[in-house]
Amino acid sequence: MDQFALENAKRYQVLVDRFKPAPIKGKTVAEEPNPDITIATRLRPMLEDEKEAGLLTGVFPRAEPAGTVDLHELRRTFRGAPGLTSFSFRVDRVFNSDDTTEAIYKELVKPLIPWAWGGGVSTMFAYGQTGSGKTYTVNGLERLIAETLFSDEVEGSRSIFISIIELAGNSAFDLLNSRKPISILEDSFGSTHLAGASEYHVTDAETLLKHINNAASFRRTASTQKNDSSSRSHAICKIRIENPDIPQADDGLLYLIDLAGSEAARDVTAHSAERMKESREINASLSVLKDCIRGRASVDAGTVPPGKKPYVPFRQSALTKVLKHVFDPTADRSCKTVVVACVNPSFLDVGASKNTLRYGEMLRVPVPKVAAPKYDAVKPSTWSHEQLQEWISKNSGTPAISAEILAPQETGKQLLRLPVPEFITRCLKTPEVTMEQATAFQLKFWRLHVDSQRPTNVKPKAEPKDTNGKTPSDKLGQHGLSSRDPRPEMSQVPFKERIRPGMVVSWNPPDDTPGFYRLPGRNLVTILSLEDETSYRCASVGPGFIPGAFAVYLWKQVVAKVEHMEAEVLLEYDVAMRSYYETV
């Protein structure tokens, strides 16, 4: 085929010059950029030896519509001169041969870092045929990522850890431990673990890149017509970002995934059974990856039809099983994904380039442009930027959390997707705001969203009553679901002068106080009755079964002196969850 193309190069150029893109048929649908996944294509420049050999360009990006690439393949005919078969593919972003790796990093990859730094999950996939410049692109992006992670461009202190594994078929190996075999295990809670994989704490960019380069030396490769060392496995570099200031929060995760080089069967030098099996396994894992990326993107974009479950088969491949929390539609953590498909522009490689572009196009999930939702005061997802800022100013407690710091440009829907550690970190930037207030406000905002998703025509279940006919709501305060004083004017009175049954306070008594057991962090009690002039009989309040929730232990009573009480703590009872939550 290469000889045929070279012999008809002039004919090919004439046909390409005559090519006119066909207009888009049918009604076009306005689209919005998908905020969670971007599919990009990079065309590498023609190499000097390719130019000297007279090779022509066979892949051409269009100016309009943006993200469209035309590809032309020379076709044999039974009679007469060869013909031209043209294909058009659409992705989100096309980087031409004169675009630098730095430009790709700045536009696509760099935004992934603050997302992971703030406690989110960020993923970058690099894909492409052998000889497409994928390795060059990945190496450049890894260097820039390492420099950013240890620069002043990211705020706050973090502990950074790295682990790198290789997936060959259903087998996994630790590339930071001389390719030692490891196991992919799933626990009873559905979480995936890499049993036996090593993880290293890194403190500078040089050490991070050293680990990446060492891992690359153990990567499984095979010789092909295009490359003497084509990657025949997937490599996953996992960078875990731990926030010591918020130890209870989830760690941020940044995945850098170099997918196995895609080859046609004719490109493999030795057509052995092992090589053919490798190709089948690679193709199968890439097919499952496509379904998982599209499934999760459809969920995030809200394009899944009502009543239909998204198809996300992450258990069908070792690659997607390791990345389960990236694709799982039931996960409560938002993930941002970038796919960079590298393409060889030579007209001799249009077959492989066509497969790469077709795969990239299949990953793309368009987001139809819809009208702004109608404002609903109890649905944060409908709030505009201005409405969100107004709500923050009025409902974030004392001192009021700065709306400009917490949501400088986000709408209500966008703030709901913000990782919890980043939400809390932004709150703490307001002077005098404590960790307790920031955490309570985040829970308040999130619970408001959860409550807004419940069907309005379903009556809540009746609360269970105790032997005295009291419900949990009655036990905590006398006015329903909150420990807040029902008299607004009392909020200006120092809390020690308005202690009442149902109030919840933090206290710090001596360790030898009868019935007192000190818990980590704050110790809370709810007031039951007056014991004497200087103390009250109280019930202990401790952590509930649900993270972030509290429970009232009426059977565990103590006598608390007023002098040991520190501050009032506002709790609200959630009927559906049957738990108390701190609020502001």
Side-chain angles (χ1 to χ4, degrees), residues 308-320:
K308 184 177 180 180
K309 293 184 178 180
Y311 180 61
V312 187
F314 50 79
R315 287 190 175 89
Q316 293 185 11
S317 162
L319 172 64
T320 50

Side-chain angles (χ1 to χ4, degrees), residues 505-522:
V505 297
S506 60
W507 70 316
N508 186 23
D511 290 336
D512 58 357
T513 300
F516 172 68
Y517 175 75
R518 188 176 298 279
L519 298 173
R522 293 179 302 166

Side-chain angles (χ1 to χ4, degrees), residues 29 41 156 210 314 346 408 410 476 489 491 496 512 549 564 584:
V29 179
T41 292
K210 181 179 179 181
F314 50 79
S346 171
E410 287 85 356
L476 185 60
E489 67 276 8
S491 62
K496 289 186 178 181
D512 58 357
H564 296 151
V584 291

Side-chain angles (χ1 to χ4, degrees), residues 371-377 379 381-383 387:
K374 184 179 179 181
Y375 170 72
D376 188 327
K379 285 190 175 183
S381 59
T382 67
W383 298 349
Q387 291 161 345

Side-chain angles (χ1 to χ4, degrees), residues 453-472:
Q453 304 303 304
R454 293 173 182 160
T456 56
N457 59 346
V458 178
K459 294 182 179 180
K461 294 182 179 180
E463 296 183 67
K465 296 183 178 181
D466 61 13
T467 55
N468 297 320
K470 297 289 187 179
T471 68

Side-chain angles (χ1 to χ4, degrees), residues 10-155:
K10 291 184 178 180
R11 170 69 178 170
Y12 179 85
Q13 187 63 59
V14 170
L15 294 174
V16 169
D17 292 340
R18 293 177 182 173
F19 172 76
K20 292 183 179 181
I24 299 176
K25 297 181 180 180
K27 184 179 179 180
T28 58
V29 179
E31 297 178 2
E32 293 181 344
N34 192 319
D36 298 309
I37 180 169
T38 302
I39 311 298
T41 292
R42 184 185 198 183
L43 307 181
R44 73 156 172 81
M46 295 288 286
L47 305 179
E48 289 301 323
D49 58 340
E50 293 174 332
K51 294 178 181 178
E52 293 174 0
L55 302 188
L56 303 175
T57 299
V59 184
F60 303 88
R62 282 194 210 175
E64 290 292 337
T68 303
V69 179
D70 294 316
L71 181 146
H72 308 293
E73 190 172 23
L74 202 60
R75 181 183 75 249
R76 295 178 185 269
T77 58
F78 290 106
R79 296 179 182 178
L84 193 72
T85 302
S86 299
F87 304 88
S88 296
F89 300 97
R90 179 85 183 273
V91 292
D92 297 311
R93 181 71 167 88
V94 176
F95 291 91
N96 213 334
S97 56
D98 55 352
D99 287 313
T100 63
T101 302
E102 286 74 13
I104 298 174
Y105 174 74
K106 184 176 181 180
E107 182 175 338
L108 295 185
V109 182
K110 191 174 183 179
L112 298 179
I113 295 179
W115 188 258
W117 193 264
V121 180
S122 297
T123 309
M124 185 200 76
F125 293 93
Y127 172 73
Q129 72 200 77
T130 297
S132 63
K134 182 187 67 168
T135 300
Y136 175 84
T137 300
V138 170
N139 290 345
L141 293 176
E142 288 173 341
R143 174 181 56 81
L144 294 168
I145 288 170
E147 292 174 356
T148 302
L149 284 173
F150 295 96
S151 70
D152 295 333
E153 296 183 57
V154 286
E155 297 182 2

